[in-house]
Amino acid sequence: MALTASAKPRKQRRALYRMPHHLRHKLLSAPLSEELRAKYGFRSFPIRTGDRVRVMRGDFKGAEGKVIRVDREKGRIYIDTVTRTKADGTPVNIPIHASKVMIVELDLSDKWRKRALERKMRAREEQARMRAESTGEELEEVG
């Protein structure tokens, strides 16, 4: 998904910061675990509240928990187990960038999300079928 036609870093950043919120959810995607990748046939999917994720980078590496909030404006997610205690003793959640986590379990309670998952699976199957047909035709032409 191209943010802008320009390759200049300044214009790329400006396009990123000015991007409308309904398009930012695509940027908040994370890779799927090996099990989910084998099950669904694709590498990444947008994060949503309710997904179980594992932190892969940073101070909280290895922490696993449930996504409690997705902040599209800041481009960060909040996980229930990733907290820090303030000076007065109250715990606060630490924001983590979506690219630094891995989805371990998808929350499929929403019918729209199930449809998006099925749509992506069908598209991958179609691509694989088309690729197999094109390589098969090429082999016939050469041989």
Side-chain angles (χ1 to χ4, degrees):
M1 180 175 88
L3 298 176
T4 179
S6 175
K8 297 178 182 178
R10 177 180 179 176
K11 292 187 178 182
Q12 286 287 325
R13 276 191 293 273
R14 188 182 68 193
L16 179 69
Y17 299 145
R18 292 182 176 181
M19 181 180 279
H21 289 213
H22 73 282
L23 297 177
R24 282 192 190 198
H25 86 98
K26 281 282 202 185
L27 298 177
L28 294 173
S29 293
L32 298 176
S33 66
E34 294 294 330
E35 300 84 34
L36 293 179
R37 198 177 295 180
K39 182 178 178 181
Y40 296 119
F42 49 85
R43 293 181 64 89
S44 65
F45 205 62
I47 293 184
R48 269 201 160 166
T49 303
D51 289 345
R52 292 198 63 77
V53 296
R54 183 180 306 129
V55 180
M56 303 304 285
R57 293 280 184 269
D59 295 339
F60 297 98
K61 181 177 181 176
E64 194 169 315
K66 196 173 186 179
V67 177
I68 55 173
R69 180 176 154 211
V70 177
D71 190 347
R72 289 184 181 177
E73 190 170 345
K74 291 182 179 178
R76 301 289 188 267
I77 62 169
Y78 295 85
I79 305 168
D80 59 357
T81 57
V82 178
T83 58
R84 180 176 291 145
T85 46
K86 289 173 33 174
D88 64 356
T90 58
V92 291
N93 292 92
I94 303 297
I96 296 179
H97 195 271
S99 67
K100 305 303 176 197
V101 300
M102 178 174 65
I103 300 175
V104 178
E105 182 185 322
L106 290 169
D107 178 28
L108 297 175
S109 59
D110 183 17
K111 67 178 181 180
W112 299 104
R113 190 152 199 228
K114 280 184 188 173
R115 287 181 189 169
L117 189 69
E118 291 163 2
R119 189 170 54 241
K120 193 164 183 177
M121 286 172 59
R122 274 197 313 269
R124 294 294 169 163
E125 291 167 2
E126 183 71 21
Q127 281 179 344
R129 190 177 58 77
M130 295 294 277
R131 196 175 301 122
E133 286 177 5
S134 66
T135 55
E137 291 171 4
E138 289 172 9
L139 291 174
E140 292 173 5
E141 291 172 5
V142 173

